[in-house]
Amino acid sequence: MDPSVTHAIEDYLKTIYKSQRNGPASTSEVARAMGVSAASATAMIKRLAVMGLVDHTSYQGVRLTPGGEKIALQVVRHHRLLETYLRQVLGYPLDRLHDEACELEHHISEMFEDKISALLGDPTHDPHGHPIPTRSGRIVDVAAFPLAEAVEGQDVEIHRIADEDLELLRYFEEQRLLPHERVRVYSKAPMRGPIELRRGRKRTLIGYDVAEKVFVVSVNA
Amino acid sequence: MDPSVTHAIEDYLKTIYKSQRNGPASTSEVARAMGVSAASATAMIKRLAVMGLVDHTSYQGVRLTPGGEKIALQVVRHHRLLETYLRQVLGYPLDRLHDEACELEHHISEMFEDKISALLGDPTHDPHGHPIPTRSGRIVDVAAFPLAEAVEGQDVEIHRIADEDLELLRYFEEQRLLPHERVRVYSKAPMRGPIELRRGRKRTLIGYDVAEKVFVVSVNA
DNA sequence: GTTTAAATTTAGACTCGTCTAAATTAAAAA
DNA sequence: TTTTTAATTTAGACGAGTCTAAATTTAAAC
């Protein structure tokens, strides 16, 4: 990580990375995610463009260059390794992982990164089920779909969950609705109604809004 | 730690804490330790005084208030806990502890502090032998003296070593001249000449300059 | 094809922490 | 006691990152 790249720049690049899934990220999207005014986002995007970390055409959104993406992926790697570490080694509750990792991700050295990765056995996914980029910036994503879209009778494995909604994370943890859990969609009420899950002999009712934030993959029964 | 207290403020308070051993810290001392110009140090000291974290009389140096000392001790606690953690859990070499801890000390939460402290068994000293302040800011220091001042035939235990001179730290590590080691001062050459140590059956020659940076306590043979 | 609404950018200002150069004060030397 | 030197402070400026308010552009609605 180029040492002249500041905390703020890293945060913007990470935000743009997450916002540019389909086509360029808009200024307002970036501003909202960063919690700053649109004017501030514009100013920073212009600076990033001068540095060659993003491509920006006025009014047309912003896109990472290969150089910008490389930094963004390193930040994401730090973030997800840290979350995994805080969870598995220090026993953090789910709802405290994100904020701590957000702060630390900009301040750990490559030695720290390597040491914790090795200690954890070079994990490929964080505690929310998100993939951890490799040191060289490779990241593999799995096609998962919202639990809300599963059909009655379907057996699914939880693959990943949203990582920023604290209330939701507390609920996930309490319900053990965590990556690797297997559940059967026992019944679905109409009109975004509750969904009944079976895990072994145990049944769980969850709301539709929650089920939209749990991403699952289908498994053979 | 008051969240409105920035990284820079914490660093200045820590520096002033370490500089004000006998009487107030001078502006130039602070500036040198912080690696900034005297003008910058003056400016920051004035800001700290307005915040009530230091007492400052023009041209007369600076002294921490109780509020400022509390923050300084929390930073020192973070630093030394982190060094202990990096060493004992992640297996860092001695010469990489300080820089990593200096960066991380400003960015860990109280939960992180508590978790690593508990994991380490609430250690009282860091790997260099420096005392770790308690959460409430209590710190106990031991009267140790430089190995260079020990007399021939004296049995001593290494209590603490300097923590910022990288070359020296590499030498300490290579020689296993670490806290808790017991050595006998076998002979001293005159005029700041080398000192011969015995550890068990092993003998070690060390220079006077090194011996001035190793602090020891006398032990009954 | 205009008009309107929303998104975006520009203009101008502010704080923080830094700098250099010049002015001031304290303390040591004469 | 005066002079000289060293430490310290002030003055003024700068870059990073932010803000609000006003101007501009895009795109959607009419």
Side-chain angles (χ1 to χ4, degrees):
Chain A
M1 190 105 46
D2 183 340
S4 74
V5 171
T6 66
H7 183 139
I9 290 172
E10 288 180 6
D11 262 342
Y12 273 95
L13 293 175
K14 183 178 74 162
T15 298
I16 295 166
Y17 174 78
K18 291 201 275 191
S19 298
Q20 65 169 19
R21 288 286 113 161
N22 319 301
S26 71
T27 300
S28 46
E29 238 180 326
V30 173
R32 187 174 25 73
M34 289 291 299
V36 300
S37 70
S40 301
T42 298
M44 181 55 101
I45 286 167
K46 290 202 165 300
R47 254 174 276 152
L48 294 174
V50 169
M51 290 186 258
L53 299 173
V54 302
D55 288 325
H56 179 231
T57 323
S58 267
Y59 301 100
Q60 298 304 128
V62 62
R63 203 187 273 281
L64 295 177
T65 63
E69 181 171 281
K70 184 166 168 239
I71 295 173
L73 283 168
Q74 284 177 358
V75 177
V76 170
R77 173 169 167 80
H78 283 185
H79 184 94
R80 294 184 179 168
L81 272 179
L82 281 163
E83 287 188 335
T84 309
Y85 189 73
L86 294 172
R87 179 78 174 169
Q88 296 196 359
V89 179
L90 298 185
Y92 265 56
L94 267 194
D95 63 345
R96 300 294 295 273
L97 296 176
H98 184 74
D99 287 355
E100 187 96 45
C102 265
E103 180 72 14
L104 289 175
E105 65 191 7
H106 310 291
H107 304 288
I108 65 174
S109 68
E110 298 211 341
M111 180 175 278
F112 193 94
E113 173 191 330
D114 290 344
K115 294 267 188 193
I116 67 173
S117 181
L119 192 70
L120 294 165
D122 294 317
T124 59
H125 291 81
D126 74 15
H128 309 101
H130 299 285
I132 300 174
T134 64
R135 271 205 66 159
S136 56
R138 191 187 308 280
I139 185 167
V140 282
D141 216 343
V142 165
F145 57 92
L147 174 57
E149 290 173 13
V151 297
E152 278 189 7
Q154 191 169 14
D155 287 298
V156 298
E157 179 173 316
I158 295 176
H159 189 264
R160 69 183 122 83
I161 61 183
D163 72 336
E164 292 191 36
D165 183 328
L166 301 188
E167 197 195 346
L168 203 64
L169 286 170
R170 285 189 276 267
Y171 183 69
F172 287 153
E173 185 150 45
E174 185 192 316
Q175 294 291 322
R176 313 240 185 294
L177 225 49
L178 301 177
H180 303 304
E181 284 288 325
R182 291 195 171 194
V183 301
R184 166 169 293 182
V185 179
Y186 195 74
S187 70
K188 291 178 74 174
M191 297 178 62
R192 301 172 53 88
I195 295 174
E196 186 182 356
L197 303 177
R198 294 278 164 111
R199 283 182 277 177
R201 161 177 309 100
K202 206 176 140 217
R203 60 166 253 179
T204 311
L205 269 179
I206 66 162
Y208 196 90
D209 291 349
V210 171
E212 281 185 311
K213 310 214 173 172
V214 179
F215 288 78
V216 300
V217 293
S218 200
V219 296
N220 321 348
Chain B
M1 191 104 49
D2 184 339
S4 74
V5 172
T6 66
H7 184 139
I9 290 172
E10 288 180 6
D11 262 343
Y12 273 94
L13 293 175
K14 184 178 73 163
T15 297
I16 295 166
Y17 174 78
K18 290 200 276 192
S19 298
Q20 67 169 18
R21 288 286 113 161
N22 318 301
S26 71
T27 300
S28 46
E29 236 180 329
V30 173
R32 187 175 26 73
M34 289 291 298
V36 299
S37 70
S40 302
T42 299
M44 181 56 102
I45 286 166
K46 290 201 164 300
R47 255 174 275 150
L48 294 173
V50 170
M51 290 186 258
L53 299 173
V54 302
D55 287 327
H56 179 232
T57 322
S58 267
Y59 301 100
Q60 298 305 127
V62 62
R63 204 187 272 280
L64 294 177
T65 62
E69 180 171 282
K70 183 164 170 239
I71 294 172
L73 283 168
Q74 284 177 357
V75 176
V76 170
R77 174 170 167 81
H78 283 186
H79 184 93
R80 295 182 179 168
L81 271 178
L82 280 163
E83 287 189 336
T84 310
Y85 190 73
L86 294 172
R87 177 82 174 167
Q88 296 195 359
V89 178
L90 298 186
Y92 266 55
L94 222 46
D95 63 344
R96 300 293 296 272
L97 295 176
H98 184 74
D99 287 355
E100 186 95 47
C102 265
E103 179 71 14
L104 289 175
E105 66 192 6
H106 309 291
H107 304 287
I108 65 173
S109 69
E110 298 212 339
M111 180 176 278
F112 192 94
E113 174 191 331
D114 290 344
K115 294 267 188 192
I116 68 173
S117 180
L119 192 69
L120 294 165
D122 294 317
T124 60
H125 292 79
D126 74 16
H128 310 101
H130 299 285
I132 299 174
T134 63
R135 272 206 66 161
S136 56
R138 190 185 309 279
I139 184 167
V140 282
D141 216 343
V142 164
F145 57 93
L147 174 56
E149 290 173 13
V151 297
E152 278 188 8
Q154 192 169 13
D155 287 298
V156 298
E157 178 173 317
I158 295 176
H159 189 263
R160 70 182 122 84
I161 61 183
D163 73 335
E164 290 190 38
D165 184 328
L166 301 189
E167 198 195 346
L168 204 64
L169 286 170
R170 284 188 278 269
Y171 183 70
F172 287 154
E173 186 150 45
E174 186 192 314
Q175 294 291 322
R176 311 239 186 293
L177 226 49
L178 301 176
H180 303 304
E181 285 288 325
R182 291 196 171 194
V183 301
R184 166 168 293 183
V185 179
Y186 194 74
S187 71
K188 292 178 74 175
M191 295 178 62
R192 300 172 53 89
I195 295 174
E196 186 181 356
L197 303 178
R198 295 277 164 112
R199 283 180 278 177
R201 161 177 307 102
K202 206 176 140 217
R203 60 166 253 179
T204 311
L205 270 179
I206 66 163
Y208 195 89
D209 290 351
V210 171
E212 280 186 312
K213 308 211 175 176
V214 179
F215 287 78
V216 300
V217 294
S218 199
V219 295
N220 321 348

